[in-house]
Amino acid sequence: MPKCLNARVLIPGIAQGELVASNVPLSFWGGVDAKSGTIIDNHHPLVGRSIAGKILMIPSGRGSCTGSGVILELLLNGSHPSAMIFGREEMILTIGVLIAQEIFQKSIPVVQVSSSVFEDLLRHDRMWIDRGRICLEQPDDVSPIIPSESPSLHGSEFSSIQVSSLDREFLDGVHGRAVQVAMRVILRMAQIQGVTELIDVTQAHIDCCIYTGPATLKFARQLHDWGARVRIPTSLNSISIDQRLWRAQGVDPDLGEPSEQLAQAYVGMGAQPTFTCAPYLLETAPKRGENVIWAESNAVVFANSVLGARSIKCPDFLDVCVALTGRSLKTGCHLTANRKARVQVHLEPCNGTDDSLYPLLGYLVGDIAADRIPIVTGLEAAAPSIDDLKAFGAAFATTSSAAMFHIAGVTIEARTDEEIRWHLTDTNKVDISRSDLATQYTLFNAPAVEEFTPIDLVSLGNPHFSHDEIIRLLSLCAGRTKSLNTALVITCNRDTYSRAAKEGHIRALEEFGAQIITDTCWCMIQEPIIPVDCQIILTNSAKYAHYGRGLTGRQVRFGGLTRCVDAACAGGISNQQYK
């Protein structure tokens, strides 16, 4: 009898094949090529491996909520894994498969295993998946199932979930096909997560307006053709182009046209064309205790941690389904008990550091925390700005799958002694030293072959630049001359751009030689905004320092804002150690 191990079925199915496995979580967005299935995250141990036709086993996804769009692309273009095995709860990649199954009749099995089974499977290189079993030799009794198998519209499968009369109308198709499918997806995700109740949310921020390929456009068009309309106020994340200027910028129409069509599809559903990855900078930002549904990983983390609003880390596609119904899963950070810190990360004294401290620290804290909410101590007297917290949160969301963090004495739910004591109860402590920060700084800036490294492009605005950051950048540029050999490009949202333009700041930056772009952000920008002959990019974003090389094929360096301006003026950087 073949050795078989038990697994929890998230999406049913059967599969067999070679195992591609790692005990490091993987973000599909920025980590897996959406056309070929090759892993492109240069910080991941599986970089260069193909998952096409393989069984992929990782603890979970992490980082960008857009990973669900990448797995949908792979499923529809045939470069998908044959199955996925996770070691802990996973929403982002699972819902991508669920959407493929519900709308496009494409599916692969997705299962979750215990930590002990995960460790056991790491020692093997081939296996068979038959719904709730993972066999290390071919079993005798595998029986194929229909790939599109899913719960029936009105069956007992949803009987464990409390639904309102309006939910039932949605599910029965009273309000149209788009809302019916949206409610099915919400209830299936609730079922997968063991959630028994839904809640009302006041607003949504949609992330899957990012064009990852034909599949994301096909999804939006299908909903639009079914008459989809958002039911709650809904903003849109950054898109893949500067909608108003992409043609003048020389962007390839093969990217520009479908990206614009995708954005217009969601605007046609009633979403607002805010096109920003930092919706917390808008006047519509939610208040403390407000239940919302935000996608875009850094935005979710900021909303929960800094604003005190309440959102799950919502994967792409689920964000749209919630926007169409106004209903979300009563789970995760919507619940007070789930907002408690589960690990303490203490920063040893680091006097004299610049603003690169916060993205570096966020990156390391996220890696330590993994799927746990951390409380950071040691910054009680530091008084980080909103922009510092923005940089910390974006980096944290890159390496962690948790939906929030706390900083003792700083963030909104960890300011009082009582709150801090609650978070510190039953938590393990991990220390971060200046040496740890220096090590990560060195990793971001490797390889440092020469004493002076020419910089072809300085990238700022990941997440989108705030008004205060524009003011600070101007002060650093005052009285200086930008090198003709180095491009300086900043991204921000339309509101920030408009305000800065009225105040004369945009003209001043352009006179210095900077290019300011709206609507899109660095996770999507390609040539020709990135010059064709560009070899090395410098950024002050740990998020972009992580994703940039895989997304662009260029080398990426990291430093604080002052270092970035110095590089723009000098045409390069000295390969200094972390200070």
Side-chain angles (χ1 to χ4, degrees):
M1 181 72 180
K3 180 182 178 182
C4 293
L5 304 169
N6 292 328
R8 176 173 173 247
V9 177
L10 305 182
I11 305 289
I14 60 170
Q16 61 172 304
E18 176 188 342
L19 182 68
V20 174
S22 172
N23 56 12
V24 178
L26 174 66
S27 172
F28 268 46
W29 174 256
V32 178
D33 183 84
K35 294 181 179 179
S36 68
T38 300
I39 296 173
I40 58 174
D41 180 352
N42 287 277
H43 303 274
H44 199 277
L46 294 178
V47 63
R49 297 284 301 276
S50 173
I51 62 173
K54 310 295 197 308
I55 295 175
L56 175 67
M57 187 174 76
I58 50 177
S60 68
R62 68 175 181 183
S64 177
C65 300
T66 309
S68 48
V70 175
I71 187 63
L72 181 66
E73 294 292 343
L74 294 171
L75 281 160
L76 268 58
N77 69 27
S79 296
H80 56 85
S82 60
M84 291 190 291
I85 303 171
F86 300 121
R88 53 181 182 248
E89 183 178 281
E90 209 294 324
M91 287 182 67
I92 293 174
L93 301 176
T94 301
I95 198 170
V97 179
L98 191 155
I99 289 293
Q101 187 183 74
E102 283 286 338
I103 298 181
F104 303 111
Q105 293 74 56
K106 301 282 188 181
S107 189
I108 58 173
V110 181
V111 299
Q112 180 184 349
V113 297
S114 67
S115 57
S116 60
V117 170
F118 190 95
E119 291 300 319
D120 190 357
L121 294 177
L122 283 173
R123 296 192 290 269
H124 299 273
D125 55 14
R126 188 172 187 85
M127 57 196 58
W128 286 256
I129 297 177
D130 180 14
R131 285 163 286 191
R133 300 182 305 167
I134 299 175
C135 299
L136 304 179
E137 298 176 13
Q138 184 170 3
D140 300 327
D141 55 347
V142 172
S143 54
I145 61 173
I146 300 171
S148 60
E149 178 184 325
S150 60
S152 64
L153 281 172
H154 313 288
S156 60
E157 290 84 357
F158 296 148
S159 60
S160 63
I161 305 170
Q162 299 177 34
V163 295
S164 68
S165 57
L166 182 59
D167 296 335
R168 177 54 63 184
E169 288 182 9
F170 290 155
L171 193 58
D172 288 346
V174 174
H175 299 271
R177 176 65 173 158
V179 175
Q180 183 183 37
V181 171
M183 181 51 66
R184 276 181 55 79
V185 170
I186 291 168
L187 291 176
R188 286 194 64 188
M189 285 305 296
Q191 183 183 55
I192 288 170
Q193 298 233 300
V195 175
T196 59
E197 294 181 60
L198 304 182
I199 59 169
D200 293 325
V201 293
T202 60
Q203 63 170 267
H205 182 68
I206 289 177
D207 188 46
C208 59
C209 51
I210 297 170
Y211 181 74
T212 61
T216 45
L217 179 57
K218 192 174 182 180
F219 168 80
R221 279 178 165 168
Q222 182 63 81
L223 291 181
H224 188 272
D225 290 348
W226 284 338
R229 294 287 299 178
V230 299
R231 194 175 183 86
I232 54 178
T234 301
S235 55
L236 290 175
N237 197 41
S238 301
I239 56 177
S240 300
I241 53 169
D242 183 329
Q243 189 191 40
R244 297 174 291 194
L245 296 175
W246 68 267
R247 290 180 178 84
Q249 292 164 350
V251 173
D252 189 337
D254 287 345
L255 171 64
E257 290 176 359
S259 296
E260 186 161 20
Q261 292 164 9
L262 180 61
Q264 287 302 324
Y266 286 113
V267 172
M269 297 180 206
Q272 294 300 307
T274 48
F275 301 146
T276 181
C277 56
Y280 40 82
L281 297 177
L282 303 174
E283 291 183 358
T284 53
K287 304 298 189 293
R288 182 173 185 173
E290 188 174 342
N291 284 311
V292 302
I293 196 74
W294 277 16
E296 162 55 46
S297 59
N298 98 85
V300 173
V301 165
F302 194 98
N304 281 315
S305 310
V306 182
L307 302 181
R310 299 191 166 204
S311 177
I312 59 173
K313 187 172 182 179
C314 183
D316 288 17
F317 307 128
L318 184 60
D319 53 358
V320 179
C321 294
V322 174
L324 297 181
T325 62
R327 300 283 278 165
S328 186
L329 312 183
K330 189 175 182 180
T331 188
C333 285
H334 288 300
L335 305 175
T336 299
N338 293 341
R339 297 172 75 85
K340 183 190 178 302
R342 301 298 174 187
V343 61
Q344 177 191 359
V345 182
H346 180 72
L347 176 66
E348 298 176 0
C350 292
N351 298 325
T353 56
D354 64 7
D355 59 337
S356 66
L357 166 66
Y358 293 97
L360 281 173
L361 182 60
Y363 192 88
L364 293 177
V365 170
D367 198 38
I368 291 167
D371 61 341
R372 300 171 295 177
I373 294 172
I375 179 167
V376 179
T377 54
L379 288 172
E380 289 82 352
S385 68
I386 289 297
D387 292 318
D388 291 331
L389 295 174
K390 174 163 72 79
F392 179 102
F396 172 83
T398 301
T399 51
S400 172
S401 58
M404 70 182 300
F405 61 87
H406 303 285
I407 300 178
V410 176
T411 53
I412 194 166
E413 294 178 19
R415 288 179 180 163
T416 69
D417 291 342
E418 182 180 0
E419 289 170 337
I420 294 170
R421 281 195 300 271
W422 181 60
H423 288 304
L424 291 176
T425 302
D426 299 323
T427 59
N428 296 322
K429 182 181 177 183
V430 179
D431 291 321
I432 289 180
S433 67
R434 189 185 192 95
S435 176
D436 296 321
L437 296 169
T439 297
Q440 186 56 56
Y441 182 89
T442 300
L443 289 172
F444 276 151
N445 287 288
V449 180
E450 304 293 338
E451 184 175 338
F452 183 83
T453 299
I455 296 296
D456 303 302
L457 168 66
V458 173
S459 152
L460 302 175
N462 189 344
H464 276 169
F465 242 37
S466 69
H467 181 265
D468 286 347
E469 286 177 300
I470 287 177
I471 299 299
R472 181 164 178 243
L473 176 62
L474 270 174
S475 69
L476 291 171
C477 297
R480 305 178 71 179
T481 302
K482 188 185 75 65
S483 169
L484 295 177
N485 298 321
T486 303
L488 172 61
V489 183
I490 305 113
T491 62
C492 65
N493 70 45
R494 292 182 177 188
D495 287 355
T496 298
Y497 183 94
S498 178
R499 179 183 173 187
K502 288 178 182 178
E503 295 169 346
H505 301 325
I506 298 299
R507 177 183 296 177
L509 284 172
E510 290 176 341
E511 289 174 351
F512 177 74
Q515 180 180 10
I516 301 92
I517 294 174
T518 63
D519 300 351
T520 189
C521 130
W522 286 101
C523 287
M524 286 77 81
I525 289 175
Q526 298 289 335
E527 296 176 3
I529 294 172
I530 296 176
V532 175
D533 59 354
C534 171
Q535 296 183 39
I536 303 178
I537 301 171
L538 175 65
T539 181
N540 68 336
S541 165
K543 177 178 181 177
Y544 194 55
H546 178 93
Y547 288 130
R549 184 168 181 178
L551 291 170
T552 68
R554 272 73 170 191
Q555 294 184 46
V556 181
R557 301 290 188 268
F558 169 81
L561 187 59
T562 298
R563 192 179 195 218
C564 287
V565 174
D566 289 346
C569 295
I573 52 173
S574 59
N575 295 314
Q576 63 189 32
Q577 295 182 342
Y578 181 67
K579 296 182 178 180

